[in-house]
Amino acid sequence: MRTLEVKDIVVHYGLVEALHGVSFRIDAGRIVALIGSNGAGKSTTLKALMGLKKLTSGSLMLDGHRIDGTHSAQRVGMGIALSPEGRRLFPRMSVWENLMVGAHTVGSAARRSQSLDLVYELFPRVKERCQQMAGSLSGGEQQMVAIGRAMMSSPQILMLDEPSLGIAPKIVSEIAQAIRRLNQETGISVILVEQNARLALKMSDDAYVFEQGLVIRSGSGQELLNDVFVQKAFLGI
Ligand code: ATP
């Protein structure tokens, strides 16, 4: 199992500083929510954890070892995977082929087939549609494929960027249930970036609130659901 510590990370886009020194931790087997408004720095944080954005300063420690100098392909090998915002599927490839893209670093056919079984078990709709072109699926089904693709590298830390965005409520709750099951049955840690703060806080063990490139609050999901600032800013209470 993996513990990931994010220590005081600063990230730039050109001259613009997007993260000003963000720190938090993901303990093994937890669901961790990152909430906050548009542009607060949540997606940038996931990209930095995945090795898709370089740190200007700060560090990332996986089980006590520094990993911020490694490439994204190496991080996949270390058990980190990202399902990106906007899904980014290949619409003209089949669902099965899209899933296999996520397994391209996995040498063992037995491991690929084990991961595929798990994806199909959690998302029966994906199994039903495995021969269909990904672009012909509904938004919610495509989101399931995107999460499934990230699962295909058999990660220990699965990062999900906005899995509920633009998806019908019924499918959102199917996806939320599948994520919970995955976490409970396999012990995989999940980092959940969500605009839907209520859903994310209900689902999470630990949560962090981002604002303008900083973490401004943290606590258990339940604590933040009861926090007056969070209620006013994100829960419409
Ligand atoms: P959203 O939910 O809208 O994705 P977010 O909390 O994930 O919001 P980020 O996308 O991480 O926020 O954005 C953090 C800051 O970095 C914002 O000020 C944003 O404008 C800036 N930013 C993000 N991507 C880029 C980019 N490719 N080039 C320049 N600036 C960027």
Side-chain angles (χ1 to χ4, degrees), residues 35-93:
I35 63 166
S37 39
N38 277 335
K42 307 175 302 292
S43 298
T44 303
T45 299
L46 295 192
K47 286 178 195 157
L49 301 190
M50 196 66 248
L52 302 171
K53 274 302 287 175
K54 268 201 172 138
L55 305 187
T56 306
S57 61
S59 60
L60 302 174
M61 311 287 291
L62 186 64
D63 291 339
H65 300 287
R66 223 173 144 168
I67 62 159
D68 43 275
T70 57
H71 297 294
S72 56
Q74 291 170 290
R75 298 210 197 162
V76 174
M78 293 170 190
I80 303 176
L82 171 65
S83 171
E85 190 172 3
R87 309 188 282 264
R88 308 273 177 89
L89 297 180
F90 296 101
R92 292 172 177 280
M93 282 164 52

Side-chain angles (χ1 to χ4, degrees), residues 101-123:
V101 169
H104 77 278
T105 56
V106 181
S108 143
R111 241 180 84 201
R112 280 199 299 270
S113 132
Q114 230 175 12
S115 300
L116 190 63
D117 286 348
L118 183 59
V119 172
Y120 285 166
E121 193 191 325
L122 287 179
F123 298 113

